[in-house]
């Protein structure tokens, strides 16, 4: 039996359609100078599902997620997060909506000399007055919440270790705990396993899958490994040259279609 079957990744497409839409991207485009990196891209992420983005380097995968989290602004099109249409919202409302979508990056960005617990507490910065966001002054309530988040990723026993003492896979799980401390509805994972060995990559994707299934989070993950998409995703979005090639259930994608993304 495949990992997808064991983890429930083969749920019917109509089941996803009945779930709450957490992210609705409609016809966004982005250019840098004369170079078009994204053209009329549309997609959705529902609560409780994992969506994998596949495609060659420069296909527009990460650009899509960066337009969602605000690291770049799309040139055209609409993005709706948790029911908030960003183009019509105030700056404060846009920021609040984007905080419901926590981002996990390829480069993990932990403060290596700080403890694991302090790094996870950083996910709650937005809820704190400025003076309480200094690590030694984190309130007890936030530290307790961070411990719960660490338990969810299986690392509560490493809470007081320096982040730099952990393996790469463990550090990425800490980064996911930090994202959870943000209290998100959705996790945007931009190449979260590309720097990890195969076992650690499996562990991280299994964790993201479990969070989607058990906690009804939406997960959108940029991947370079089609086999991980097959094992852990509900849907696969294929991009080539900045354009959407397919958006299909993992059950409906064959190796020829996957291979065409990298030609």
């Amino acid at each position: 039996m495949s990992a997808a079957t064991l983890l429930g990744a083969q749920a019917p497409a109509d089941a996803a359609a009945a779930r709450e839409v957490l992210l609705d991207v409609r016809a966004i485009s982005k250019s840098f100078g004369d170079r078009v990196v994204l053209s009329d891209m549309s997609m959705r992420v529902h609560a409780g599902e994992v969506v994998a983005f596949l495609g060659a380097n420069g296909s527009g995968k990460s650009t899509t997620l960066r337009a969602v989290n605000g690291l770049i602004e799309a040139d055209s099109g609409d993005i709706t997060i948790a029911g908030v249409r960003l183009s019509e919202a105030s700056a404060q409302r846009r920021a609040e909506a984007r905080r419901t979508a926590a981002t996990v990056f390829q480069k993990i960005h932990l403060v290596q000399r700080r403890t694991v617990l302090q790094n996870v507490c950083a996910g709650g910065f937005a809820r704190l007055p400025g003076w309480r966001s200094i690590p030694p002054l984190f309130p007890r309530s936030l530290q307790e919440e961070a411990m719960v988040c660490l338990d969810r990723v299986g690392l509560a026993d490493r809470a007081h270790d320096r982040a730099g003492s952990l393996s790469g896979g463990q550090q990425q799980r800490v980064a996911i705990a930090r994202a959870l401390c943000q209290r998100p509805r959705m996790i945007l994972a931009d190449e979260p396993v590309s720097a990890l060995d195969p076992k650690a990559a499996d562990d991280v994707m299994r964790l993201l899958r479990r969070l989607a299934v058990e906690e009804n989070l939406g997960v959108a993950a940029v991947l370079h490994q089609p086999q991980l998409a097959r094992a852990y995703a509900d849907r696969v979005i294929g991009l080539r040259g900045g354009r959407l090639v397919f958006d299909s259930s993992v059950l409906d994608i064959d190796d020829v279609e996957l291979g065409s993304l990298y030609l």
Side-chain angles (χ1 to χ4, degrees):
M1 184 178 295
S2 70
T5 303
L6 287 169
L7 292 167
Q10 300 194 23
D14 57 351
R19 300 171 184 159
E20 179 185 1
V21 176
L22 299 177
L23 174 64
D24 188 359
V25 173
R26 299 197 178 189
I28 64 169
S29 296
K30 180 65 181 177
S31 297
F32 294 101
D34 295 331
R35 185 168 66 94
V36 177
V37 294
L38 205 59
S39 181
D40 293 322
M41 171 62 179
S42 296
M43 50 80 64
R44 285 181 169 182
V45 177
H46 300 82
E49 74 170 343
V50 178
V51 178
F53 290 73
L54 293 177
N57 289 336
S59 61
K61 307 182 301 298
S62 293
T63 300
T64 301
L65 293 196
R66 289 170 184 164
V68 172
N69 66 20
L71 289 178
I72 63 171
E73 290 293 333
D75 298 330
S76 60
D78 284 308
I79 298 172
T80 299
I81 304 175
V84 178
R85 188 174 179 181
L86 300 185
S87 62
E88 298 177 348
S90 66
Q92 179 179 346
R93 193 74 181 97
R94 285 197 302 273
E96 291 171 351
R98 278 178 162 141
R99 280 199 294 272
T100 69
T103 304
V104 176
F105 297 95
Q106 174 187 5
K107 188 172 176 58
I108 300 170
H109 297 300
L110 297 183
V111 181
Q112 300 291 299
R113 68 181 182 277
R114 298 285 188 191
T115 68
V116 167
L117 181 63
Q118 288 171 335
N119 274 278
V120 176
C121 284
F125 273 170
R127 302 193 300 276
L128 299 177
W131 67 275
R132 296 306 299 271
S133 63
I134 302 170
L137 302 179
F138 286 143
R140 180 177 296 277
S141 59
L142 178 57
Q143 294 185 52
E144 291 173 349
E145 182 176 350
M147 284 298 299
V148 171
C149 293
L150 279 170
D151 186 60
R152 288 157 79 184
V153 305
L155 287 172
D157 61 329
R158 304 297 300 271
H160 301 293
D161 294 348
R162 288 176 58 256
S165 70
L166 272 58
S167 69
Q170 289 171 327
Q171 289 194 40
Q172 191 61 287
R173 285 156 58 196
V174 171
I176 293 170
R178 180 179 59 192
L180 292 174
C181 202
Q182 189 175 318
R183 300 180 184 173
R185 300 290 314 283
M186 178 170 51
I187 292 178
L188 309 176
D190 191 1
E191 300 187 31
V193 299
S194 60
L196 304 181
D197 63 62
K199 182 183 182 306
D202 266 318
D203 288 344
V204 168
M205 290 306 301
R206 186 178 296 109
L207 170 61
L208 291 172
R209 177 71 199 170
R210 178 168 59 80
L211 292 171
V213 171
E214 295 181 0
E215 307 201 21
N216 208 35
L217 294 176
V219 175
V222 170
L223 298 174
H224 283 290
Q225 304 94 328
Q227 72 276 13
L228 291 179
R230 284 197 178 281
Y232 298 109
D234 297 289
R235 285 192 295 117
V236 177
I237 289 176
L239 288 157
R240 184 172 60 242
R243 292 186 176 275
L244 180 69
V245 178
F246 57 76
D247 178 352
S248 303
S249 164
V250 70
L251 294 175
D252 297 331
I253 301 298
D254 60 33
D255 290 339
V256 173
E257 286 179 293
L258 288 177
S260 72
L261 299 176
Y262 302 94
L263 295 177

